[in-house]
Amino acid sequence: SRLRNLARDRRVLVWFTGHGGEERQNDDIPKIDVINMLKRCSVTLVEVNNKSGEEEWRAEGRDGDGREITAVVVVDEKALEIKVVTTWAKK
């Protein structure tokens, strides 16, 4: 619920890494669909990235058309930021 609550906060900045943006475009997922999915997602995995040391959360849900999408995000609750590391649509 921490991620859903943060995503619903209008003060929060949701931004995409270069890789996250490329993968989002490759699967034709509009930014707004990722942002809206984060507001009602289920977090199915939390792990530490071995390279960056950041805690990454796997968020799963559906886009506006009902397609299953997944995003891996890094949450900074103090800075009010959600960084989207990658995202994909279930094929």
Side-chain angles (χ1 to χ4, degrees):
S1 69
R2 288 169 44 204
L3 177 56
R4 290 189 303 271
N5 289 336
L6 192 63
R8 290 178 186 133
D9 189 328
R10 293 183 185 272
R11 300 171 296 162
V12 171
L13 171 65
V14 178
W15 61 280
F16 294 76
T17 64
H19 176 77
E22 288 173 21
E23 293 301 312
R24 181 188 59 75
Q25 290 176 339
N26 287 345
D27 281 1
D28 195 30
I29 306 169
K31 286 182 182 180
I32 192 67
D33 281 350
V34 175
I35 294 167
N36 285 335
M37 181 273 291
L38 293 173
K39 295 175 183 179
R40 57 185 187 277
C41 70
S42 295
V43 174
T44 59
L45 180 68
V46 176
E47 62 185 359
V48 175
N49 181 303
N50 291 333
K51 291 182 182 178
S52 69
E54 294 176 312
E55 186 176 79
E56 296 179 340
W57 300 6
R58 181 180 296 167
E60 298 186 29
R62 297 188 179 271
D63 68 7
D65 295 325
R67 180 173 59 160
E68 292 180 35
I69 59 175
T70 302
V72 175
V73 300
V74 174
V75 175
D76 187 336
E77 293 173 284
K78 290 182 181 178
L80 297 175
E81 287 187 358
I82 300 171
K83 174 173 64 172
V84 180
V85 177
T86 191
T87 188
W88 65 88
K90 187 172 184 179
K91 305 265 189 245

